[in-house]
Amino acid sequence: MGRRLSNFRFSLRYKHVVLSLIFLKFVSDTFEARRKEIIAEFGEQYVDNDAFYTMKSVFYLPEDSRWSYILKYAKQEDIAVKIDTALHDIEKKNKALTGALPDNYFSRLDLEVSKLSALLDQINNIQTINSQHEDVVGRVYEYFLGKFALAEGKLAKTRMLPTGLA
């Protein structure tokens, strides 16, 4: 997975971009899995009832906050705004997330639509819930922590050594 994400050569400052998108993919995958369970157990009449999601510790997602919606509009000029809106609406609908998600982060980054769209395509290939033994979001976070530690270590080394030895 790390190799797939490193192909984008995003600097470490974009770790929040990747983490936020993987979180969005994960909560969407979890939501969709629960949605299928609800339909199988109770029928279609309960698929939009928040309580049927929260009873299983699944975040309810408004339609424009779902991964499928984001992918549908991935190549449009306003995709950053759509991602920001999705994250905002997820946080607003699920009080446990208050203050946890970035606010208007993607819009402020001014990323090229083609690069953001390509990143969305790559993240779309990540299976976030296939294995209950694997924490994909945690693994990505650890990947960035490792990269951050390496970068900080190199920076600290150059600060501590006399010029020419770093």
Side-chain angles (χ1 to χ4, degrees), residues 40-105:
E41 286 182 49
F42 307 104
E44 300 250 350
Q45 70 268 26
Y46 297 108
V47 295
D48 290 319
N49 186 325
D50 301 14
F52 281 81
Y53 295 89
T54 56
M55 71 175 22
K56 296 285 187 170
S57 299
V58 173
F59 294 119
Y60 179 82
L61 303 182
E63 190 168 342
D64 63 351
S65 297
R66 299 174 192 164
W67 187 254
S68 58
Y69 179 87
I70 297 300
L71 281 183
K72 181 178 177 181
Y73 296 102
K75 296 186 181 3
Q76 289 189 348
E77 289 297 317
D78 66 342
I79 188 59
V81 173
K82 285 185 176 15
I83 294 168
D84 283 337
T85 301
L87 293 170
H88 171 78
D89 290 350
I90 291 170
E91 187 175 41
K92 184 177 172 186
K93 188 77 175 161
N94 300 281
K95 298 301 178 204
L97 292 172
T98 300
L101 302 177
D103 188 36
N104 292 321
Y105 182 69

Side-chain angles (χ1 to χ4, degrees), residues 103-165:
D103 188 36
N104 292 321
Y105 182 69
F106 287 82
S107 303
R108 290 182 283 149
L109 287 175
D110 198 30
L111 293 171
E112 290 179 36
V113 171
S114 61
K115 288 185 180 180
L116 185 52
S117 177
L119 181 59
L120 288 167
D121 287 341
Q122 282 294 313
I123 291 173
N124 191 50
N125 293 323
I126 298 171
Q127 300 300 317
T128 63
I129 61 171
N130 275 358
S131 171
Q132 292 185 9
H133 305 291
E134 183 176 26
D135 176 11
V136 173
V137 177
R139 282 186 55 219
V140 171
Y141 190 73
E142 287 174 359
Y143 169 80
F144 280 111
L145 280 177
K147 291 291 186 186
F148 178 74
L150 282 174
E152 286 297 307
K154 287 177 185 175
L155 184 60
K157 180 180 174 184
T158 60
R159 287 183 186 151
M160 293 170 32
L161 293 175
T163 306
L165 295 179

Side-chain angles (χ1 to χ4, degrees), residues 20-28 65 67 70 83 86-87 90:
S20 296
L21 292 175
I22 289 177
F23 172 80
L24 183 56
K25 171 87 165 60
F26 171 73
V27 296
S28 285
S65 297
W67 187 254
I70 297 300
I83 294 168
L87 293 170
I90 291 170

